Structure formats: C-alpha cells, structure tokens
C-alpha cells in the first residue's frame, strides 16, 4: 500500500490547525522524491555547474586577453582553443558532450564573425542572435500551446508529450516556465543589443560575460519552482513496459489454455 492508498483519519477539530513540533517538519515522502527528481532532471538538462563553466570560460578568456593586449586574433584563438580542450576532456572521460559541443560551435561562429569584421564585439554577436531567437521560440511555442520547455524536458522526465493532453497541471507549469525563459532572455537582449552599438569592445565584453550565468540561474530556479508545484510526470516508458508485460502474460495464458484444450 502506497502513501496515496493509505486511509487517513483527521480530527475535524484539528483539521484547520497548523502542524507543530516534530510533525511540522515531516513532509510527504512522495513530494520529496518528486522534488529530487525535478532537481536532478534540470541539472542534467541544463548541464549543471560544469556546463556553466564551459559556457562562460571561452568568453571570459577572450575578453580578458583582449583587455590586456587588444589583440583580436590571439583572443579569438585562445577562446576557440579552450573550447576544444573542454570537448576533448569530455571525450576522454566519456561524458555527455552536447553542452561542450554547443559551446564550441558558438565560439567558432563568434571567431568567424570577429575575424571577418575586425570588430571584437562581433565575437558575441552570434550568441546574442541565438539568445534572441531562443527567447522568441519560448514565447511563440507557449502561445501555440506547446511550450518549448516541455518539449525539452518531457523526454528527461520520461513523460514525452503526455503532459499536453493527459496532465493539464503540468502543461500549465511548462507554460509558466517557458514564459519565464522567454521574458528573461528578452530582458538580457534588451541590455546587450543597445550596448553592442555604443559601448567599446572591452566594456561590452565584460557585460556579456557577466550576463551569462545570472539570467540562466534565475530561469532555471523559476522552472524548478513551477515544476515542483506541478503534478508529477506520467512515466510513459513505464506504461509501455507494463503494456508489453501484460500482452506477454495474456499470450502465455492463451497458449496454456490452448495446450490444455489440445491435451
């Protein structure tokens, strides 16, 4: 019998009274499990601390070197080099490389842009355009009824798209989270794009690096808050496995019945 199946007996005289003492500190084990699963899934989906380091380090190295010697080529080569090293480390350790590879592509595009124009600020332009496009994607997909954060996290939670039709509370949570991501990223763009036009490359670079992590952490935190309060995900993989087991059991039963009939 699970915690959901257990009967509860509540004294009407104490139903509205707040819990106190030891009982106030006791939480539903299932709720604690759901929160832990949500935290682990978000950590995996967004790369965790290591993913953030891989996101920030190339840009930080670029702006640091450029601040010191104003040499665009050296700064760009150093940033690209450290990105390749981060990927190589993941390959050697046989870790997930999707975050590191996305960082390499972003840095590579930035290097190409900066080299073509000779403007150090263009190193950050591809990332800015990507951020703007991602912000619009979060907002548009949410308005269309398929919030992007749900599409990204559905497979991580083993629910795929079941939240769209079978779990309305979870769909609302994904919609809120997608709105949060879209608006936060738009706010970031509202700061960076004006600075791109009038700030000098060094100041612009430091602001760009400074805005890498805080908006991201805020969006992840809000996503965790919304999902922690949402209904648990429907494990469609477990459902499919259960259906397969039921089909096998039914086939075995029919075969046994056929054997008794033939006998």
């Amino acid at each position: 019998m699970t915690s959901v199946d257990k009967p509860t007996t509540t004294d009407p005289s104490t139903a509205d009274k707040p819990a106190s003492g030891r009982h106030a500190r006791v939480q539903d084990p299932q709720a604690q499990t759901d929160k832990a699963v949500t935290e682990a899934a978000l950590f995996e989906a967004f790369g965790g601390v290591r993913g953030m380091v891989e996101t920030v380090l190339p840009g930080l190295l670029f702006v640091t070197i450029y601040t010191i010697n104003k040499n665009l080529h050296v700064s760009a080569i150093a940033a690209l080099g450290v990105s390749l090293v981060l990927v190589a480390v993941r390959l050697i350790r046989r870790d997930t490389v999707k975050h590191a590879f996305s960082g390499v592509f972003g840095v590579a595009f930035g290097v190409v842009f900066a080299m073509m124009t000779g403007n150090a600020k263009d190193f950050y332009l591809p990332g800015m355009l990507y951020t703007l496009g991602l912000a619009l994607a979060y907002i548009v997909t949410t308005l269309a009824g398929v919030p992007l954060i749900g599409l990204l996290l559905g497979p991580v939670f083993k629910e795929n798209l079941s939240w769209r039709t079978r779990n309305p509370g979870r769909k609302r949570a994904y919609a809120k989270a997608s709105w949060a991501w879209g608006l936060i990223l738009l706010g970031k763009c509202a700061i960076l794009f004006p600075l791109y036009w009038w700030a000098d490359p060094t100041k612009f670079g430091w602001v760009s690096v400074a805005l890498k992590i805080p908006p991201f952490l805020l969006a992840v935190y809000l996503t965790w808050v919304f999902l922690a309060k949402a209904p648990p995900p429907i494990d469609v993989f477990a459902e499919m496995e259960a259906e397969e087991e039921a089909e096998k059991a039914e086939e075995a039963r029919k075969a046994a019945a056929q054997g008794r009939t033939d006998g």
Side-chain angles (χ1 to χ4, degrees):
M1 181 178 288
T2 65
S3 60
V4 176
D5 299 324
K6 292 179 182 177
T8 57
T9 56
T10 304
D11 184 354
S13 63
T14 61
D16 296 328
K17 293 181 180 180
S20 60
R22 181 177 62 83
H23 297 288
R25 295 190 295 270
V26 177
Q27 298 182 6
D28 181 6
Q30 185 59 47
Q32 292 179 336
T33 300
D34 292 341
K35 287 185 177 181
V37 170
T38 300
E39 291 174 3
L42 290 176
F43 191 86
E44 174 187 346
F46 298 115
V49 174
R50 189 173 179 181
M52 288 188 287
V53 171
E54 292 170 343
T55 299
V56 172
L57 190 56
L60 179 60
L61 186 61
F62 178 90
V63 70
T64 300
I65 295 176
Y66 189 81
T67 300
I68 295 171
N69 61 18
K70 296 298 187 294
N71 190 315
L72 175 59
H73 290 77
V74 173
S75 303
I77 292 173
L80 184 58
V82 75
S83 296
L84 294 174
V85 169
L86 292 173
V87 171
V89 170
R90 280 191 176 265
L91 290 173
I92 293 171
R93 294 169 59 97
R94 297 183 180 179
D95 294 334
T96 303
V97 297
K98 61 180 180 180
H99 299 290
F101 268 128
S102 63
V104 166
F105 287 124
V107 172
F109 279 116
V111 168
V112 171
F113 272 56
M115 292 292 192
M116 289 177 59
T117 64
N119 186 350
K121 288 190 289 187
D122 287 337
F123 174 80
Y124 304 97
L125 185 57
M128 292 165 56
L129 295 174
Y130 172 78
T131 299
L132 178 59
L134 189 60
L136 295 177
Y138 276 117
I139 293 173
V140 170
T141 55
T142 304
L143 292 174
V146 283
L148 180 58
I149 199 70
L151 300 178
L152 296 175
L153 295 182
V156 177
F157 286 110
K158 299 180 180 180
E159 61 182 334
N160 286 349
L161 297 178
S162 62
W163 50 268
R164 288 196 62 199
T165 55
R166 300 172 57 191
N167 205 339
R170 198 151 180 91
K171 181 179 180 180
R172 287 192 294 271
Y174 280 138
K176 291 178 182 177
S178 290
W179 274 114
W181 278 92
L183 295 177
I184 288 170
L185 294 180
L186 280 181
K188 179 179 176 179
C189 291
I191 296 173
L192 289 180
F193 275 96
L195 287 176
Y196 173 81
W197 294 109
W198 61 262
D200 66 77
T202 300
K203 292 180 181 178
F204 178 75
W206 285 111
V207 172
S208 297
V209 171
L211 287 178
K212 282 282 187 180
I213 299 301
F216 172 81
L217 289 180
L218 176 59
V220 171
Y221 172 73
L222 291 176
T223 301
W224 178 82
V225 169
F226 295 139
L227 292 182
K229 297 179 180 179
I234 299 172
D235 191 337
V236 295
F237 295 102
E239 289 183 342
M240 288 188 290
E241 291 176 358
E243 290 176 1
E244 291 177 359
E245 291 297 327
E247 290 176 359
K248 290 179 181 179
E250 180 65 18
E251 291 175 359
R253 186 190 65 78
K254 290 181 179 179
Q258 184 64 35
R260 288 194 296 269
T261 302
D262 295 341

